[in-house]
Structure formats: structure tokens, C-alpha cells
Amino acid sequence: MIQIQMTKNPSFSLISTNKIIQMNDVWTSYDSKNFALEGINMSIDRGTNYAIAGQSGSGKSTLLKLMNGMMIPSKGTIKIDYVTPNMNNKKFKKMMHSIGYIPQSLGLVRNSTVLENILIGSLPRLNKIQSLFKKFPEPEIQEAKKIISQVGLSGKEDRKAYMLSGGEKRRVAIARALMQKPTILLADEIVSELDHVTAREIMDLIADAQKRMNLTAIMVHHDMQLALEYANRVAVIKEGQKILEIGVEGETIVDFQTGDMSTEEIMEMYADDTQK
Amino acid sequence: MTPKNNIIIGIIIALLVVASYNVDANPVDFVEGLPNLGVVLEEMVSVEPKYIPTALWAMFETIQMAFIGTTVGVAIALPLSMFAARNLNSKYVYAPIRALLAAIRTFPSILWAILFVIMVGLGPFAGVLAIIMYTIGFVAKLQYEAIETIDSDPMDAVSSIGVSKWQLIRYVVIPESASHLLSQMLYMFDYNVRQTSILGLVGAGGIGFYIINYIKFFEYGKAAIFMVVVLVAVLVIDWVSVKIRDKYIIKSQHGMEVTAKSK
Ligand SMILES: Nc1ncnc2c1ncn2[C@@H]1O[C@H](COP(=O)(O)OP(=O)(O)OP(=O)(O)O)[C@@H](O)[C@H]1O
Ligand SMILES: [Mg+2]
């Protein structure tokens, strides 16, 4: 899968590492006074199931909005698949087609049906006439139906979004993102308000899609438990700073970094100091 | 009741008295004039029934004028409202469009009618044009306000896919504001039927044309019959639009509320 990616995008083959997201000392703010994020360093490998955990107001949603280009850092650099996110950049705009983003509020079109909401994910593949007349090509409709059954919404295609339960709404939002044929999936606390059983069903759904499509999933969690259970890596955010990053394999912690630096980096810094 | 309220009420009463004196509004004249209504009523009963089909036909013409005016007006207002919405356009686009719409709205429909009578001559076409202008001015405003109150969540979520602005309008803005639009169309049609009924006063067709002519020739009975037809027609249209609104609009707005609560 990774190799296919490389032949498709020859420019990437020159780069040996396979970092899909790289953030370097990223600062950002909504107003001029307070920073929502303060010097975030983050580097995410392709195909990772990455979790971001932290308290309310710590900056988790803000972090996701930086990854889909909806927000721009006031300082520092971000690269998504080696491209700087910017809505005015044609290359990134094209990239947005394959970044599935599920906001905390889900962002469904309430007065549209389940099927219509999901087909929105295929809009970048439609031409002007098709999208003006809502004339979705047959393969797209088949694809949507396939995804509908994968997320367990069969029989509810024609239901208006506002008539769905919380769990069903989340399934629609996931399906819309999958319809994009994404390479990155960003999901913001989509299971926080659900009961444990439904939350796990939805997490399984994403874990399954993640493996099947070789997605890089980046999910924000309120609940550290869920984060550790499902992710390969977990970053903990506190007051706009990354205070911890853990790599998990099964039950074991394979990598443990504190602050914005790995233990190795801390050692290196000490070494630099002593050399001076 | 606080003393402050008393002062305010006192001022309002004083203003009422002064204003009434200035415009010659005398309650005594009103009471003395009441018996005249009886005379009109008497004349009305003695009008030959052959005028009723004419009245109905004139009303039908009026409704058709209002229908064309509303439909065409809304069709023009809808795209304009997309350009006038602040959340979809830059200042350089929405500001001039809003100024234009505000200018259109400063004219009441009867003034538009006069203008179009001068332009295209007497008759219903001038009336239709007047209704179109009036509808554009109002529906575009109501609609861009509705668009601006659309929840930003679906807008953000869908634009983060990197869709074009037109796709965003087609797949988010229109569905999310459609129930408002339907309600505005019904309201506007209702209102336009009433407006069209008086455009005849300046020669722009419709049932008002008959009414003003009967009044000119002191045929109050016939004028009254025509007015009763307007009254009944407006009541019927009002009732029908309430039914339509209940069926299609209340339902979806209720759904919105539920969604909003569950976040
Ligand atoms: N649109 C906004 N305008 C101004 N400030 C904002 C906005 N959105 C978030 N903030 C502020 O930025 C900070 C981080 O917010 P963010 O939404 O990223 O937190 P979060 O970790 O996602 O919290 P939660 O778990 O409650 O969703 C908070 O202090 C918040 O008040
Ligand atoms: Mg959040």
C-alpha cells in the first residue's frame, strides 16, 4: 500500500521517512491574547492509529483543525504529507479531498437524508453538471450503499439526518468521511457522549476501516482508557502543550516520551550542553 | 406601576392627542359616519347578482398576478441572496448587492406600480412587474438572513472536504435554508395577493381597478361586493398556507430543535 502511494506521487519517493503529519513548534490562537496551542511538536507515521487525549479546553479540537487546514498556525510549521496546509494552495485543496474530518458537532446536513449526507463525501469526484443536478454516478451510489451497510445503517438511507439517534448520526459522519476514500481520518470526540457499548461498536468500526484502507486515523478522546485501548500512539495535551506521548503495542508501552521531547532528545540536549 | 411608566404613558397619550389633532382624526366623525356603512350594506344587497362572476374573475386575475409576481420574484431573489450572505461572500460582493436590495425595498409596491404603468402602460403587466420588484427586495433579505443563521458546523465540515463554493451552496446552504424559503414564499404570496388587490388603484390591473372605478362613480354597493370577495379570498389563502406550513415546515423545524439540544 505504501509503495503504491509512492509510485503515484513520485516526488514523495525521494523522502525516505514516511511521516504523514509533522508539526514543528506550532503555536496558534483564536484571539491575539491567548494561545490555544503553545509549541506543539508532533510527528505521525503513515498508517498509525493515533489518539489525542486531554482535558476539556486543552486544545485537542484546535489541533485537529490545524491538520485539515481549517486553521493556520500563527507560528511554527505543519506539513501534511509534506505539504503545508493552506486553503488557497491548490495542491493542499486537492489533498483535502482525502482528509476525512468529523468535527465534534459532526456537521451533518440536518434536512438531508442519510444517503445524501454520505454522498457529499464523493462531491470532489463529481463534475459541475453532475453536482448541480445531484446526478451521482451509479458507482458512487453503489459505494455509498456499501459503506452504509458497513457502518450498520442499512434500511435508513432515506431517513433525514435530524431524525437519527446520536449513535446513528456518528455512523453517518463516519460514512461520509469514508466516502471520501480518505488517507487521513480526523475524528473529534465522536464517541464521548455515547454509552460504552455503542462507543466500542463505533471505535471497532473505525479500527476496521483503518486497517482495511490503511488509513492514518487521528482521533481525539476525552477518555484516556479508550485512547489506550484503540490507538498505537497516544498524545496527551494539557493547556495547549503536549505533555506526554506513549506508543502502545497490545498491553505494553513500547515508547514513552515526556514533554515536547523524547527521552533521547533530552539526552542529546544534555550532551550538547556538556560539550559547550 | 412605577412613576416612570406613568410618565411614559402620559407622554404617549399627549402625542396621540396632538397627532390626532394635526391629522384631523376625530372620534366623533367616526361615530357619526357609522350609519353610512348601513347605507353601503343596503346598496350591496340590492346589487344584481350578475356582478359576482365578474368580481370572482377579477379576483382570479389578481391571484394570478400575485402568483407570477411571487414566483418570478423568488426565483430572482434566491440567487441574489446567495451573493448577499455574509458567510458565503467577501465584502466586495455582498455589500453592493445588499445596497441594491435596500434601495429596491425603499419603494412600496404601489410606487413601483406607478413607475411600471408609466413604463409599460396601464394593465396587469405593470402590476406583475411591481410585485416582482417588491418580492425581490423582501425575499432576498429574508433569505440572506436565513442563510446567515445556518449552523456553521455542517458548512465547516463540508468545506473541509475541499468542495467548491457552488457545491457547498447546493448541498448545505439550500437544504438547510429550504424550509425558511418555503415559509417565505407562502407568506409572500399571501401578502402579494393583498397588495395586488390595491394596485388597480393606479391602473396596474387586478380587482382594485374595479373597486376604484365603482367608488369614483359612487357605486358603493358594487365596490363593497368586490371588497367582500377580496376578504374571502385572502382568508382562504391564509388558511391554506397555514395548513401547508404546519405540514411541511413545523415538522422540520422541530427536528432542528431536537438536534440543537443534543449538540
Ligand atoms: N472559536 C473559538 N474562538 C475563541 N476561542 C476558542 C474557540 N475555539 C476554542 N477556543 C479556545 O481555545 C482553547 C482550546 O479549545 P479546544 O476546542 O481546542 O479544546 P478541546 O481540548 O477540544 O476541548 P473539549 O474537550 O471541551 O472539546 C480553549 O481555551 C477554548 O476556549
Ligand atoms: Mg474539542
Side-chain angles (χ1 to χ4, degrees):
Chain A
M1 193 66 190
I2 292 164
Q3 277 164 342
I4 293 168
Q5 206 88 33
M6 286 179 170
T7 45
K8 260 189 190 166
N9 302 299
S11 59
F12 297 157
S13 61
L14 298 173
I15 302 155
S16 55
T17 51
N18 206 355
K19 300 289 182 198
I20 196 149
I21 297 205
Q22 287 169 299
M23 290 197 183
N24 195 355
D25 191 26
V26 167
W27 294 65
T28 192
S29 64
Y30 288 95
D31 50 52
S32 48
K33 279 171 271 161
N34 309 304
F35 283 100
L37 292 175
E38 304 176 350
I40 296 282
N41 289 309
M42 197 171 261
S43 140
I44 301 177
D45 288 340
R46 194 184 295 277
T48 312
N49 191 341
Y50 198 92
I52 299 168
Q55 286 177 350
S56 185
S58 55
K60 306 181 296 293
S61 298
T62 310
L63 201 50
L64 280 200
K65 284 185 233 166
L66 285 166
M67 294 180 187
N68 70 2
M70 297 299 275
M71 274 182 80
I72 300 291
S74 31
K75 190 172 157 257
T77 54
I78 305 184
K79 299 275 181 195
I80 311 292
D81 220 346
Y82 308 99
V83 177
T84 305
N86 178 352
M87 299 262 259
N88 302 323
N89 174 347
K90 274 216 174 96
K91 196 167 173 190
F92 185 73
K93 187 125 195 197
K94 214 165 177 186
M95 215 165 197
M96 288 167 84
H97 300 342
S98 54
I99 301 178
Y101 170 59
I102 309 171
Q104 207 160 351
S105 54
L106 305 177
L108 299 182
V109 182
R110 292 177 184 79
N111 290 321
S112 294
T113 64
V114 167
L115 183 64
E116 285 168 335
N117 265 289
I118 293 170
L119 283 169
I120 286 177
S122 71
L123 285 180
R125 299 191 289 270
L126 261 61
N127 64 35
K128 282 204 175 77
I129 302 292
Q130 289 169 327
S131 48
L132 179 65
F133 294 102
K134 289 199 173 181
K135 197 86 197 101
F136 288 89
E138 197 49 38
E140 298 291 2
I141 294 174
Q142 289 314 320
E143 175 73 11
K145 295 214 163 130
K146 199 178 91 195
I147 293 175
I148 284 174
S149 80
Q150 280 166 2
V151 300
L153 283 171
S154 301
K156 301 209 167 74
E157 290 86 345
D158 299 323
R159 193 74 84 75
K160 296 261 168 149
Y162 71 81
M163 293 179 183
L164 298 172
S165 75
E168 288 165 341
K169 281 186 189 137
R170 283 162 177 80
R171 291 169 200 267
V172 177
I174 293 166
R176 179 179 65 194
L178 295 181
M179 194 66 199
Q180 288 175 248
K181 302 186 175 157
T183 49
I184 303 176
L185 181 71
L186 309 171
D188 196 348
E189 290 198 38
I190 56 170
V191 298
S192 295
E193 289 164 29
L194 299 177
D195 61 89
H196 283 293
V197 178
T198 318
R200 286 204 156 61
E201 269 174 30
I202 296 213
M203 287 305 295
D204 289 338
L205 203 76
I206 292 182
D208 175 57
Q210 193 247 332
K211 288 200 198 82
R212 196 161 24 86
M213 303 167 83
N214 191 31
L215 272 174
T216 307
I218 302 166
M219 303 188 68
V220 166
H221 288 287
H222 226 100
D223 182 356
M224 190 67 184
Q225 182 65 38
L226 269 181
L228 286 170
E229 196 173 320
Y230 281 92
N232 321 119
R233 290 193 82 77
V234 182
V236 181
I237 309 291
K238 189 181 177 186
E239 289 166 12
Q241 293 177 336
K242 190 175 94 179
I243 55 166
L244 206 66
E245 183 164 339
I246 307 165
V248 212
E249 266 173 29
E251 303 266 285
T252 44
I253 290 173
V254 291
D255 182 15
F256 189 91
Q257 302 171 9
T258 53
D260 255 339
M261 285 169 283
S262 67
T263 36
E264 279 168 25
E265 279 173 312
I266 293 171
M267 298 290 277
E268 264 173 39
M269 200 176 73
Y270 277 121
D272 282 350
D273 268 351
T274 44
Q275 272 167 18
K276 266 179 206 162
Chain B
M1 188 140 297
T2 64
K4 201 175 159 197
N5 282 350
N6 285 338
I7 293 173
I8 292 172
I9 291 170
I11 291 174
I12 291 173
I13 291 174
L15 286 175
L16 264 177
V17 172
V18 172
S20 306
Y21 180 79
N22 286 343
V23 302
D24 231 353
N26 186 347
V28 179
D29 284 353
F30 179 78
V31 177
E32 280 178 355
L34 276 179
N36 288 343
L37 265 187
V39 177
V40 172
L41 219 69
E42 232 170 80
E43 277 185 37
M44 200 176 124
V45 181
S46 58
V47 170
E48 290 170 51
K50 70 171 184 197
Y51 286 97
I52 290 175
T54 319
L56 289 178
W57 179 253
M59 191 66 226
F60 183 55
E61 184 191 69
T62 307
I63 292 173
Q64 291 178 95
M65 287 167 66
F67 178 73
I68 302 171
T70 310
T71 316
V72 176
V74 168
I76 298 171
L78 192 59
L80 281 176
S81 68
M82 300 293 167
F83 288 108
R86 283 208 199 98
N87 52 349
L88 292 176
N89 301 282
S90 80
K91 198 173 176 178
Y92 302 100
V93 179
Y94 71 70
I97 303 270
R98 278 168 181 244
L100 175 75
L101 292 172
I104 292 176
R105 279 195 311 277
T106 54
F107 268 35
S109 56
I110 195 108
L111 287 186
W112 281 118
I114 293 173
L115 197 76
F116 286 120
V117 164
I118 297 168
M119 262 177 68
V120 302
L122 292 169
F125 185 48
V128 168
L129 290 174
I131 294 296
I132 290 175
M133 292 308 284
Y134 190 83
T135 305
I136 292 173
F138 266 91
V139 171
K141 181 181 163 69
L142 292 173
Q143 189 60 18
Y144 75 63
E145 282 173 354
I147 292 172
E148 285 172 359
T149 58
I150 292 180
D151 196 352
S152 61
D153 294 334
M155 299 266 269
D156 290 348
V158 175
S159 48
S160 84
I161 297 174
V163 300
S164 71
K165 188 169 142 189
W166 300 110
Q167 290 177 325
L168 190 68
I169 288 176
R170 184 76 181 87
Y171 291 87
V172 183
V173 175
I174 293 180
E176 292 286 74
S177 59
S179 70
H180 284 280
L181 186 66
L182 180 61
S183 136
Q184 284 154 16
M185 279 175 78
L186 286 170
Y187 169 77
M188 210 61 215
F189 177 62
D190 200 330
Y191 190 69
N192 282 345
V193 170
R194 282 174 243 197
Q195 292 206 88
T196 315
S197 305
I198 61 159
L199 292 186
L201 305 191
V202 296
I207 199 165
F209 183 68
Y210 294 84
I211 297 175
I212 192 70
N213 278 314
Y214 288 135
I215 291 177
K216 270 187 200 151
F217 295 104
F218 305 107
E219 300 202 59
Y220 295 127
K222 287 175 193 161
I225 294 265
F226 279 66
M227 279 153 87
V228 169
V229 169
V230 173
L231 180 84
V232 172
V234 167
L235 283 177
V236 169
I237 290 168
D238 212 41
W239 180 79
V240 172
S241 54
V242 166
K243 287 280 160 216
I244 299 178
R245 220 168 299 194
D246 282 354
K247 193 160 184 308
Y248 293 101
I249 295 159
I250 305 298
K251 212 162 67 182
S252 68
Q253 274 173 4
H254 179 66
M256 274 187 183
E257 261 174 42
V258 173
T259 325
K261 255 184 257 158
S262 72
K263 192 170 150 190

